[in-house]
Amino acid sequence: MKFGFWLPIFGGWLRNVEDEQMQPTFDYAKKVIQQAERLGYDTTLIAELFLNDIKGPQEDSLEAWSTAAALAAVTEKIEIMTAIRPGFHNPAIAAKAIANIDHISNGRLTLNVVSAWWEEEARQYGGIFTEHDERYERTKEFIDVLKGLWTEDSFSYDGKYYQFKETKLFPKPVQRPNPILYAGGESPKGKEVISSYCDAYVMHGGTVEEVARKIGEMKELRAKTDHPPFQSFGMAAYVICRDTVEEAQQELARITDVKESDAYAGFKDFTSKSQLEQQIQLQDYSVSNRGLRPNLIGTPEQIAAKIREYEDAGVDLLLLQFSPQLEEMERFAEKVMPLVQGKRLAQA
């Protein structure tokens, strides 16, 4: 199991808690990622949204790509997985920027390709937002262009959405043939595109049974293509680690005391513009990315045991959320990570 975390670019992950003591500033993000490297975390995921989906559209948030470049320059080991949404980017310019940041990071930049779900954000920022399946058709062409520019000396393309003629991109990325392309999706169209065009599959939080079923299905779809097996299966999860079960449950009750506010501005678009496999309630949405569903809540021993269940189900990357970030990610690293390693050695 590799341990990653979501970079707190929104000021937190809790829609019912106004101040999580984690400012949406570059200084805080830098402090978090540098501490994460020291603690042994493998990956950070930087979400790309131009409006703050957690605290409300009027609140501060960091832009993903400038943040990724800056963090690449002040870190040495950690993988920087940055979300990219085709409806907001020219693929040739994106390919150039990605190659540049890959050099800044010495080959540590990876992508989370997101076909987008928030129509109001697209309206405000001039993004292209079409019907669900057409968004994935655009994504296919977008990836074709990225890969073509990264691998060919002179690239031409005549698609429905993008056209290029003898376009040259140098230097190529450090990673060959391309930086790892992660993606997540639950609709039939999404799974079809991801299995044929991407390198790894990431999921919102789910139960062990839900996640095992998704992984099995994606492995079957991948086997029908001419690509090698997926490089990784990742899952989002929110962690509440306490010394006793009672303390953990008290914290859970505190953060899920739903208070509808501007923090829920994207809820309707998320549930209506996506094709989700599980019905999402406001309480699920009170923590970002269905983070409570994996139930990494309890004592260090309970959480470590649950993580081993996800390992057995096929998950090899956890993308964790904590609040407040610095304090809780340190607690997890000191109390849970060694137990996961110990359980693995005991079963070897």
Side-chain angles (χ1 to χ4, degrees):
M1 182 69 74
K2 293 196 300 181
F3 294 104
F5 64 96
W6 293 69
L7 193 74
I9 65 172
F10 302 114
W13 308 111
L14 308 176
R15 291 184 169 91
N16 304 314
V17 179
E18 185 173 340
D19 183 5
E20 298 182 56
Q21 303 170 43
M22 39 204 293
Q23 303 78 25
T25 63
F26 176 73
D27 285 344
Y28 187 77
K30 177 182 174 182
K31 187 181 296 185
V32 165
I33 197 171
Q34 289 180 334
Q35 176 170 299
E37 276 199 329
R38 291 191 292 269
L39 293 172
Y41 287 87
D42 302 285
T43 302
T44 189
L45 170 54
I46 307 177
E48 184 188 50
L49 284 174
F50 299 118
L51 298 177
N52 192 324
D53 175 47
I54 308 298
K55 300 302 180 182
Q58 75 287 349
E59 299 298 332
D60 292 352
S61 61
L62 297 180
E63 190 278 324
W65 284 91
S66 53
T67 300
L71 293 177
V74 297
T75 53
E76 297 178 354
K77 299 178 294 183
I78 200 163
E79 175 187 5
I80 299 173
M81 183 197 306
T82 308
I84 186 165
R85 297 173 299 165
F88 289 90
H89 294 272
N90 175 313
I93 295 172
K96 182 70 175 178
I98 292 161
N100 197 53
I101 300 173
D102 201 40
H103 278 270
I104 293 171
S105 69
N106 194 27
R108 292 182 288 119
L109 182 71
T110 60
L111 304 181
N112 178 26
V113 182
V114 181
S115 294
W117 53 267
W118 197 354
E119 186 173 14
E120 173 61 17
E121 180 209 23
R123 184 194 66 77
Q124 290 190 27
Y125 275 83
I128 298 169
F129 193 91
T130 53
E131 290 302 313
H132 178 275
D133 284 7
E134 188 177 355
R135 297 202 297 274
Y136 277 102
E137 289 298 318
R138 178 179 294 276
T139 293
K140 290 197 295 188
E141 289 196 11
F142 192 89
I143 294 174
D144 279 340
V145 174
L146 292 182
K147 289 183 175 180
L149 288 167
W150 289 335
T151 56
E152 298 182 23
D153 288 347
S154 182
F155 176 71
S156 297
Y157 191 81
D158 186 18
K160 177 180 178 181
Y161 304 102
Y162 305 111
Q163 297 81 40
F164 296 93
K165 186 174 181 179
E166 299 176 0
T167 303
K168 298 169 179 61
L169 187 151
F170 297 97
K172 304 300 186 187
V174 173
Q175 300 172 76
R176 300 297 178 92
N178 58 265
I180 297 173
L181 301 180
Y182 296 82
E186 300 182 4
S187 68
K189 185 67 175 181
K191 290 177 178 178
E192 171 208 323
V193 172
I194 293 165
S195 62
S196 298
Y197 283 79
C198 296
D199 307 306
Y201 186 61
V202 288
M203 299 164 280
H204 287 294
T207 66
V208 173
E209 294 75 20
E210 289 166 353
V211 168
R213 186 167 58 251
K214 287 181 185 179
I215 290 174
E217 182 180 357
M218 292 305 292
K219 285 181 175 179
E220 289 181 8
L221 289 172
R222 184 69 165 190
K224 296 176 182 178
T225 73
D226 58 358
H227 300 296
F230 278 121
Q231 296 183 34
S232 180
F233 288 97
M235 182 188 71
Y238 184 85
V239 176
I240 302 176
C241 181
R242 296 293 185 269
D243 292 334
T244 67
V245 173
E246 292 75 20
E247 290 174 304
Q249 289 300 314
Q250 287 174 4
E251 175 66 2
L252 176 62
R254 182 183 75 89
I255 68 174
T256 55
D257 180 17
V258 174
K259 309 175 184 70
E260 288 196 57
S261 65
D262 286 346
Y264 289 87
F267 177 71
K268 184 177 180 181
D269 274 2
F270 180 67
T271 53
S272 64
K273 305 298 181 183
S274 305
Q275 294 180 14
L276 305 176
E277 290 182 323
Q278 280 82 39
Q279 185 176 1
I280 304 303
Q281 305 298 330
L282 273 178
Q283 181 160 321
D284 288 313
Y285 201 68
S286 67
V287 172
S288 178
N289 303 98
R290 277 177 265 172
L292 295 178
R293 206 169 182 91
N295 195 32
L296 298 189
I297 299 166
T299 65
E301 292 78 10
Q302 289 173 323
I303 294 171
K306 179 63 71 172
I307 289 171
R308 288 293 292 128
E309 291 182 32
Y310 281 103
E311 279 190 326
D312 292 342
V315 176
D316 53 39
L317 171 63
L318 286 176
L319 297 166
L320 302 172
Q321 297 166 340
F322 305 94
S323 180
Q325 189 89 12
L326 283 169
E327 295 83 352
E328 293 299 324
M329 70 190 307
E330 183 171 354
R331 187 201 303 260
F332 182 89
E334 291 179 354
K335 296 193 174 186
V336 179
M337 284 188 191
L339 292 177
V340 175
Q341 177 66 10
K343 290 178 184 292
R344 184 182 301 115
L345 292 174
Q347 293 182 0

